Amino acid sequence: MRALVVYCHPVPESFCAAIRDAAVEVLTQRGWEVRLLDLYAEKFDPVMGCDERRGYNNQAPRDPALKPHFELLNWAEAILFVYPTWWYGLPAMLKGWLDRVWATDVAFKLPAGKGRIRSLMTHVTKVGVITTCGAPTWWSVVVGQPGRKTLLRGMRALCATRCRTFFLAHYLMDASTPQSRAAFLGKVRAKLERF
């Protein structure tokens, strides 16, 4: 299985980095081919410019910096997102990556006139999300978990019909302890052993 790990955190020593490392380790030990995409390390530009937006409905973006990202999406059979939840959703860098990379003629084709969008991502059969969140579980649910819905409803809808998903979150991250973080890493490893 070919897994793309999309990692988004600006701090190299963050707990998200520990999650990323554990995820890559477990998937590699399982014999998966893993490619890591570290959006901050590569200084990905999440800003969609005027011309790119004007042409968005007509063709894939022409920015040559996006070509390797398109190739990674086309290569992947599984996508694992690792990021912190900020203001209940995705970091701006990750949202910008979705905006610019999951684009027309890359992730989907728009219909001529009325009709349904046609997916170009049916080769992706698994999507996972591992995140950290400062809020408690109950408040995240009250707010509606927009990050979870974006990835596991919106983006997953472009993947294979029977695409399997999972979501893991370390809530109350701001009050976490070495014990809570170690326990969560254990959950990450166990989940990825079955992913």
Side-chain angles (χ1 to χ4, degrees):
M1 171 98 13
R2 297 186 304 269
L4 174 62
V5 177
V6 180
Y7 174 70
C8 186
H9 200 294
V11 180
E13 70 277 10
S14 70
F15 182 58
C16 277
I19 295 168
R20 172 204 63 205
D21 293 346
V24 169
E25 178 185 327
V26 170
L27 294 175
T28 301
Q29 286 175 350
R30 290 187 60 202
W32 289 27
E33 186 179 349
V34 178
R35 293 187 185 170
L36 174 63
L37 175 59
D38 184 334
L39 296 176
Y40 276 95
E42 79 159 47
K43 296 178 175 45
F44 179 77
D45 182 0
V47 179
M48 182 184 294
C50 180
D51 289 339
E52 188 175 325
R53 180 60 210 156
R54 283 183 176 145
Y56 187 85
N57 290 349
N58 303 319
Q59 65 197 14
R62 294 184 179 184
D63 182 343
L66 297 178
K67 187 174 185 230
H69 296 265
F70 300 156
E71 290 169 354
L72 283 172
L73 272 191
N74 192 41
W75 169 86
E77 296 172 308
I79 302 176
L80 178 64
F81 295 93
V82 179
Y83 64 91
T85 295
W86 291 339
W87 285 108
Y88 316 109
L90 308 173
M93 176 82 74
L94 182 53
K95 177 61 170 67
W97 183 77
L98 296 174
D99 290 343
R100 298 192 70 207
V101 175
W102 288 60
T104 306
D105 294 338
V106 178
F108 61 88
K109 282 201 167 289
L110 289 173
K114 294 182 180 179
R116 300 184 76 182
I117 289 175
R118 184 168 63 87
S119 172
L120 300 176
M121 299 290 293
T122 56
H123 54 282
V124 175
T125 60
K126 298 173 189 248
V127 176
V129 171
I130 307 174
T131 188
T132 58
C133 185
T137 307
W138 70 269
W139 183 247
S140 296
V141 171
V142 167
V143 170
Q145 297 181 308
R148 180 179 188 165
K149 288 179 180 174
T150 295
L151 295 173
L152 296 187
R153 288 189 187 176
M155 308 320 285
R156 184 249 173 254
L158 293 173
C159 299
T161 303
R162 298 184 190 276
C163 181
R164 292 179 50 212
T165 65
F166 80 84
F167 180 86
L168 280 179
H170 186 305
Y171 293 101
L172 294 172
M173 187 62 205
D174 300 337
S176 70
T177 65
Q179 293 78 18
S180 72
R181 292 189 298 274
F184 186 74
L185 284 177
K187 289 180 185 176
V188 167
R189 291 177 179 280
K191 180 61 83 173
L192 290 174
E193 286 290 348
R194 300 186 307 271
F195 184 46

